[in-house]
Amino acid sequence: MANHPSPAKLSRVEKATISRKLHQKLLERAQLGPAEPALDVFIPQLDAIALRLDAHVSGKNAAHAARAAHADKAEIVDEEVDTWGRHIESFLDIAGRRRHSAFASAARVLSAAAFPEGLGFLDDRIPDENARMRETLTVLRAPEHAPTLVGIKLPPEWIDSLQAALDASDEAYAERVAARGTQGEHVYKGRSAEAEWVHLVHRLRNYVESRAVPGDVEREVENRALLAPLKDAIAHAKAVAAGRATRRTKKAAEPAAEPPTV
């Protein structure tokens, strides 16, 4: 098969389509007879490989869509974490700046404990940001700071909202990671199916061409028809590639545009 164009360059969708067409050709020949076990054995193999290729095409697309959806969700709930974090940090800062409040000093202490480095960590990766924000949540929930929160009248539902946002963000990020893993699994299994497909059509092509008998025009026509889905697809791919190469060559040969005269 070294002298034939390699079908390995065809897309996974094209490979699946060719498999179904080859399967149909062989099935029609088998129905007309006579039986030819060495050729008919390819019928179930082509059907099975087409199903596998289709599954990993659709599975990869679905996983990609799920990953995009989970990525959007992760960004949306991350914004909730940012928002409630900013609300609380700003409230503590304002309370600590009051000149005539008995809780101003305690508010400054709480602010320093809850946000020792300010809000710069909101730009970190979501899992890193959430881990740091949970440290803030632990400080805000600490019993020793409860009187300060009551004294400065920080709405307790803000802290509850921050915790709910953190829980939702961790869940959304975990779903995003799982979707990425699913997509990678389809990529890996799809490549394995493609490699098996290349081996299968190589064996099929070799066998069909071995059926040729010098002077047997009918057998020659049948062989051509059986392999037509594969050879037509390869010829089309070669024509497309040649057309692209020609366009690139013409473009490279075009003279550079002269700068406009002043």
Side-chain angles (χ1 to χ4, degrees), residues 61-74:
N61 291 340
H64 179 75
R67 180 180 174 185
H70 290 313
D72 288 343
K73 181 181 177 181

Side-chain angles (χ1 to χ4, degrees), residues 31-258:
Q31 290 170 346
L32 292 174
E36 189 174 342
L39 180 60
D40 296 342
V41 72
F42 287 99
I43 295 174
Q45 295 178 32
L46 286 166
D47 185 43
I49 200 69
L51 291 173
R52 285 179 59 197
L53 290 167
D54 280 336
H56 293 305
V57 168
S58 59
K60 179 185 174 183
N61 291 340
H64 179 75
R67 180 180 174 185
H70 290 313
D72 288 343
K73 181 181 177 181
E75 293 300 326
I76 291 170
V77 293
D78 178 59
E79 185 179 70
E80 283 288 299
V81 174
D82 294 353
T83 298
W84 289 113
R86 289 191 175 99
H87 275 326
I88 294 170
E89 193 273 344
S90 179
F91 194 101
L92 293 177
D93 180 65
I94 292 170
R97 292 175 183 273
R98 296 186 63 179
R99 295 189 300 274
H100 306 292
S101 170
F103 292 95
S105 177
R108 290 194 294 272
V109 171
L110 176 54
S111 180
F115 300 96
E117 299 171 358
L119 294 174
F121 66 91
L122 295 185
D123 293 328
D124 293 348
R125 292 173 59 252
I126 289 176
D128 297 334
E129 174 190 328
N130 288 359
R132 176 62 191 82
M133 191 64 85
R134 286 197 180 276
E135 294 177 8
T136 293
L137 190 63
T138 298
V139 172
L140 295 171
R141 296 285 196 194
E144 60 267 28
H145 294 302
T148 302
L149 296 175
V150 173
I152 64 177
K153 296 183 173 61
L154 189 148
E157 59 268 22
W158 287 14
I159 298 176
D160 294 338
S161 294
L162 175 61
Q163 180 163 356
L166 281 169
D167 292 342
S169 181
D170 285 344
E171 180 181 352
Y173 190 81
E175 291 171 347
R176 177 180 175 181
V177 171
R180 183 187 300 126
T182 301
Q183 182 179 356
E185 181 179 354
H186 279 294
V187 170
Y188 174 77
K189 290 184 176 179
R191 287 174 180 166
S192 175
E194 287 189 83
E196 290 184 33
W197 179 88
V198 171
H199 180 65
L200 177 62
V201 297
H202 171 78
R203 290 191 296 108
L204 172 63
R205 189 171 192 172
N206 282 350
Y207 177 78
V208 171
E209 291 177 349
S210 73
R211 299 169 78 235
V213 177
D216 190 338
V217 177
E218 186 175 342
R219 177 58 63 89
E220 183 181 345
V221 170
E222 183 181 64
N223 287 349
R224 263 203 305 267
L226 291 176
L227 294 178
L230 176 63
K231 293 190 174 182
D232 289 349
I234 293 174
H236 176 71
K238 287 185 66 178
V240 170
R244 289 173 180 166
T246 299
R247 288 193 293 273
R248 285 196 298 267
T249 302
K250 288 182 177 179
K251 187 175 181 179
E254 290 176 358
E258 295 183 2

